[in-house]
Amino acid sequence: MNKTVKIFISCHKPSRAIEDEVFTPIETGAVYHEKSLSQGILRDNTGDNISSKNPMYCELTAQYWAWKNVDADYYGFCHYRRYFNLTPNIFPEDSYGDILEPYLLDGTAEKYGISGNNVQSLLSEYDLLVSKRQDLRKLPGNYKTPQDQYAWAKYLHAEDYQLMLDIIDQHFPEYTNAARTYSEGHYSSFCNMFVMKKDMFRQYCSWLFAVLDIFCRERNMSGYSREALRTPGHLAERLLNIFIIHQQEENRDIRIKELQTVYMQNTEWTETLCPAFDHNNIPVVFAADDNYAPYFSACLQSVIDHNSLKYNYDLVLISKNISRVNQDILLEMTAGYGNISLRFYNPTPLLDGYRLHANSHITEETYYRFLIQEILPHSTKVLYLDCDLIVNSDIAELYSTDVSGYLLAATLDPDFLGQIGGADPNTQKYVRTRLQLKNPENYFQAGVILFNEEEMRKSHSLQEWLGYAETPYRYNDQDVLNLYCEGRVKFLDMSWNLITDMEFKRFSNVISYAGASVQNQYEKAHQNPAIIHYAGCIKPWNRPEDDLARYFWKELRETPYYEAVLANLCRNDAKHNSSSGMITEIVNQIFPVSTKRRAWLDRVYMKFHK
């Protein structure tokens, strides 16, 4: 078959779309958008168009545009979320008859045969491709017929369906029998998805838009809700069914192929990110869940406050569940800074099949730093920062560190070195028997890392890194990185990752057991920290009086989250005050202050609250 086939993919927001010589994305309602969704995309506001009717007509504005402006042998329509399954395979469906696909990935088109060649092959056998009819009696809801279902639908008005039937009876009586057959039956195809021959398509559009034009003249929708205003689009789904039944009445030899519908639950996901800036680009990656957004805002604000106009800061927050509300708030914080970009990346597809271990205060997000080499393939060097820290200097200076020949650059971990120096014999045993590091005195802290991603990719694939991470270690990804990067680490000045003296006990109870040079580095860094890291279970948003917590609150005060975090602190204080006094009194009785017994307790406490 050598026919011209055009299948238009209706899009109204930025999203991935399957494209080849047949499938073509088109922006709907483009008249309302100053900028196009993507470079070179077709827009429904050119030529003869009804783009301004998009709030009522939905994806039909793309159909009208194709009818008036494109010449092809076959016309078809899909959605940015919905495609046909073009393979002979039958896939499991949800209760509404859709094949659910969590993400639109590079291999999705191949899985479901979504290609021009498969369309051409089907059209050599069939005159019409349409979404599979659903038995309404088997769908969720208490209805049996299409008219029942329309009356049951939230926000829609039952009388609109009747008006549609009345319009057909009065103006297009040749369709009356088809309309009654459909409305009183039990089956319906949904989503306005089809592929038709040219003559059939032109006949359908002439009739469809004539019916809707009369409906819009006769029905006053001024008081309708936003969803109810989409009534012409909803009616069009029913009109397509009526049209097909009419075609079958006119031509019993018409060949129709019903196809399963694939519903893409997330079409915004992209496997990789290109640099946000074309020069002086400094990629910086963070990882957090939605609950952490208020605390991350202080970290973000500190980066903003210490930026230099000489550089461009390409910030990426990796998160599975960052809400649209929090995204908008965080983006507002960077608005107006031409040299700062903030983007969000959902890593879920990359983690599929891996079991990553977490503990009391270390969450799955800690493993996201392994994903950087895959997410930012065009970056040879990337700075990773934990979200529970405050930047006190321009990170461009840190980024300028030469890591040639190394896998990464990081600071020594004075807490860990204090543990193996005598503060915790169990950690000594763990390093000796479990980690088996050649030089455990070179153990680094993973909250601030400058990755040489070029070398990281050569060293291990993402699959290998995540495979190593599946093994449960005491300090999770930090142990993995220390184990598999040993001997290829460049050590930074400790001021670039100063872990705070948590509860003013970390130094005296743990770090003081480390070597003298480590203690000296820590004390020097503490006097002038470039990055303050609140590593451990005690955080400044829970303990404002703790070591260097004032820097966190200073930055948070400039963010939109300040009042919310402060209110949460007050609520938690009120909740725990009633019991904390009693607990403290009991502990002091059993483990008196300034005794060996108390010193032992403090060391145990620090071990489990690192």
Side-chain angles (χ1 to χ4, degrees):
M1 175 183 177
N2 244 348
K3 299 290 185 178
T4 304
V5 182
K6 288 293 183 182
I7 299 179
F8 298 93
I9 305 168
S10 302
C11 307
H12 70 270
K13 65 179 183 177
S15 61
R16 297 191 78 185
I18 295 173
E19 298 182 54
D20 68 5
E21 73 279 3
V22 166
F23 290 88
T24 305
I26 179 170
E27 181 179 346
T28 58
V31 70
Y32 296 105
H33 311 148
E34 273 188 39
K35 296 181 179 178
S36 61
L37 296 178
S38 61
Q39 188 174 6
I41 190 172
L42 294 176
R43 309 187 83 201
D44 70 352
N45 64 334
T46 61
D48 188 351
N49 72 86
I50 56 170
S51 182
S52 61
K53 292 185 178 182
N54 182 255
M56 295 189 301
Y57 278 52
C58 310
E59 67 277 357
L60 297 180
T61 58
Q63 186 176 317
Y64 183 95
W65 183 88
W67 174 37
K68 295 295 186 179
N69 298 284
V70 175
D71 184 29
D73 296 310
Y74 286 84
Y75 296 79
F77 296 89
C78 293
H79 303 243
Y80 72 102
R81 283 186 180 276
R82 287 184 171 87
Y83 292 84
F84 287 123
N85 169 27
L86 297 173
T87 73
N89 303 323
I90 303 301
F91 293 89
E93 299 173 344
D94 71 353
S95 58
Y96 289 95
D98 286 325
I99 302 170
L100 296 184
E101 191 65 37
Y103 291 89
L104 178 51
L105 308 176
D106 288 344
T108 304
E110 183 178 356
K111 179 179 179 179
Y112 295 107
I114 306 172
S115 71
N117 288 337
N118 283 343
V119 172
Q120 295 271 7
S121 177
L122 283 170
L123 291 177
S124 67
E125 301 179 46
Y126 298 97
D127 304 305
L128 171 65
L129 309 181
V130 68
S131 59
K132 189 181 80 173
R133 290 185 305 158
Q134 303 295 328
D135 186 340
L136 302 181
R137 295 165 295 184
K138 297 180 180 180
L139 298 185
N142 187 24
Y143 46 77
K144 296 181 179 180
T145 69
Q147 193 160 6
D148 290 340
Q149 187 207 31
Y150 195 92
W152 178 85
K154 192 176 181 181
Y155 301 115
L156 300 184
H157 302 274
E159 58 269 27
D160 289 339
Y161 192 103
Q162 186 58 51
L163 176 58
M164 175 190 75
L165 295 179
D166 293 343
I167 291 171
I168 291 174
D169 288 344
Q170 183 178 354
H171 298 276
F172 308 96
E174 67 274 22
Y175 284 86
T176 292
N177 187 64
R180 292 288 179 264
T181 301
Y182 169 69
S183 298
E184 296 169 6
H186 305 296
Y187 293 88
S188 187
S189 295
F190 294 106
C191 304
N192 280 329
M193 292 172 58
F194 61 84
V195 182
M196 295 179 183
K197 283 184 174 181
K198 177 195 284 187
D199 292 344
M200 188 186 302
F201 175 67
R202 294 191 179 283
Q203 180 184 346
Y204 172 52
C205 287
S206 296
W207 174 73
L208 169 70
F209 289 105
V211 172
L212 295 180
D213 185 55
I214 296 170
F215 174 87
C216 289
R217 289 201 307 268
E218 295 190 7
R219 172 64 75 219
N220 181 4
M221 294 187 285
S222 60
Y224 277 20
S225 68
R226 186 179 300 172
E227 183 61 34
L229 279 176
R230 294 157 53 93
T231 290
H234 288 290
L235 292 178
E237 285 189 86
R238 283 74 187 176
L239 290 167
L240 174 60
N241 285 267
I242 294 170
F243 178 79
I244 292 173
I245 293 173
H246 177 68
Q247 290 296 309
Q248 291 174 307
E249 292 174 346
E250 294 287 307
N251 178 12
R252 293 189 179 277
D253 294 327
I254 187 172
R255 301 167 301 169
I256 300 176
K257 177 65 173 177
E258 295 181 14
L259 299 167
Q260 285 184 296
T261 300
V262 185
Y263 178 68
M264 312 293 179
Q265 294 174 291
N266 188 322
T267 59
E268 296 181 23
W269 189 81
T270 179
E271 191 169 355
T272 62
L273 298 177
C274 293
F277 302 95
D278 58 10
H279 68 287
N280 292 338
N281 193 74
I282 299 178
V284 186
V285 173
F286 310 84
D289 66 9
D290 193 54
N291 293 326
Y292 224 80
Y295 316 127
F296 167 65
S297 72
C299 175
L300 175 62
Q301 187 63 49
S302 70
V303 173
I304 295 171
D305 287 346
H306 295 90
N307 83 90
S308 167
L309 294 178
K310 294 188 296 184
Y311 303 100
N312 294 312
Y313 301 81
D314 184 1
L315 313 181
V316 177
L317 177 65
I318 306 178
S319 178
K320 270 187 176 181
N321 64 351
I322 188 77
S323 69
R324 179 63 63 181
V325 171
N326 280 326
Q327 287 187 40
D328 290 343
I329 293 173
L330 295 169
L331 287 170
E332 284 177 11
M333 291 176 58
T334 62
Y337 294 90
N339 66 327
I340 298 178
S341 165
L342 175 62
R343 292 179 287 175
F344 305 94
Y345 185 92
N346 188 328
T348 303
L350 297 180
L351 299 171
D352 186 40
Y354 294 97
R355 186 179 178 185
L356 304 176
H357 301 271
N359 58 36
S360 58
H361 72 280
I362 301 295
T363 62
E364 182 189 270
E365 282 74 20
T366 193
Y367 296 100
Y368 291 176
R369 66 202 80 195
F370 290 121
L371 308 179
I372 297 174
Q373 65 186 56
E374 190 84 9
I375 296 171
L376 298 172
H378 307 290
S379 300
T380 57
K381 189 166 63 169
V382 178
L383 179 60
Y384 172 83
L385 299 178
D386 275 350
C387 289
D388 59 342
L389 54 76
I390 293 297
V391 170
N392 224 20
S393 297
D394 185 2
I395 54 177
E397 181 183 345
L398 171 58
Y399 185 79
S400 68
T401 303
D402 183 7
V403 289
S404 301
Y406 297 95
L407 289 173
L408 57 86
T411 69
L412 290 172
D413 186 340
D415 188 297
F416 187 89
L417 298 182
Q419 291 183 54
I420 65 174
D424 185 1
N426 288 329
T427 303
Q428 292 176 321
K429 181 181 178 181
Y430 170 73
V431 172
R432 185 175 62 255
T433 61
R434 184 80 171 81
L435 281 185
Q436 298 182 356
L437 293 169
K438 296 175 184 176
N439 297 298
E441 66 279 1
N442 286 335
Y443 189 95
F444 60 86
Q445 219 284 339
V448 176
I449 299 180
L450 181 60
F451 283 109
N452 182 340
E453 292 298 353
E454 205 166 31
E455 292 299 320
M456 289 287 287
R457 295 183 192 103
K458 292 178 185 177
S459 174
H460 298 290
S461 68
L462 173 61
Q463 291 70 30
E464 288 174 324
W465 283 119
L466 292 178
Y468 300 147
E470 286 187 302
T471 302
Y473 290 100
R474 178 185 288 188
Y475 297 130
N476 309 90
D477 61 300
Q478 184 166 278
D479 282 353
V480 173
L481 286 167
N482 271 277
L483 184 59
Y484 291 95
C485 296
E486 188 175 24
R488 300 192 63 188
V489 177
K490 184 170 188 173
F491 291 98
L492 301 167
D493 187 276
M494 202 174 290
S495 64
W496 284 114
N497 184 9
L498 175 79
I499 60 173
T500 56
D501 187 14
M502 192 171 68
E503 292 197 308
F504 301 100
K505 295 176 181 177
R506 178 178 260 149
F507 184 84
S508 59
N509 291 344
V510 182
I511 297 176
S512 60
Y513 286 84
S517 64
V518 173
Q519 294 184 51
N520 292 337
Q521 286 185 60
Y522 182 84
E523 290 179 322
K524 181 182 178 182
H526 198 281
Q527 294 174 10
N528 188 26
I531 293 179
I532 301 168
H533 187 185
Y534 304 100
C537 69
I538 304 298
K539 303 298 185 184
W541 49 88
N542 295 324
R543 199 74 62 84
E545 71 278 9
D546 208 32
D547 183 40
L548 302 179
R550 65 186 183 278
Y551 288 91
F552 169 83
W553 286 94
K554 175 180 177 293
E555 296 295 344
L556 185 70
R557 202 169 289 118
E558 297 182 51
T559 77
Y561 291 100
Y562 174 68
E563 290 80 6
V565 175
L566 191 61
N568 189 56
L569 175 65
C570 294
R571 282 193 295 268
N572 289 339
D573 280 351
K575 183 188 298 183
H576 294 107
N577 272 347
S578 58
S579 58
S580 61
M582 184 181 297
I583 295 172
T584 301
E585 184 177 342
I586 293 172
V587 170
N588 287 338
Q589 288 177 1
I590 301 174
F591 303 95
V593 178
S594 300
T595 64
K596 290 183 178 180
R597 187 183 300 171
R598 182 57 170 264
W600 173 84
L601 178 64
D602 287 342
R603 286 198 296 273
V604 172
Y605 177 84
M606 294 302 294
K607 169 187 172 183
F608 291 103
H609 292 77
K610 184 178 181 294

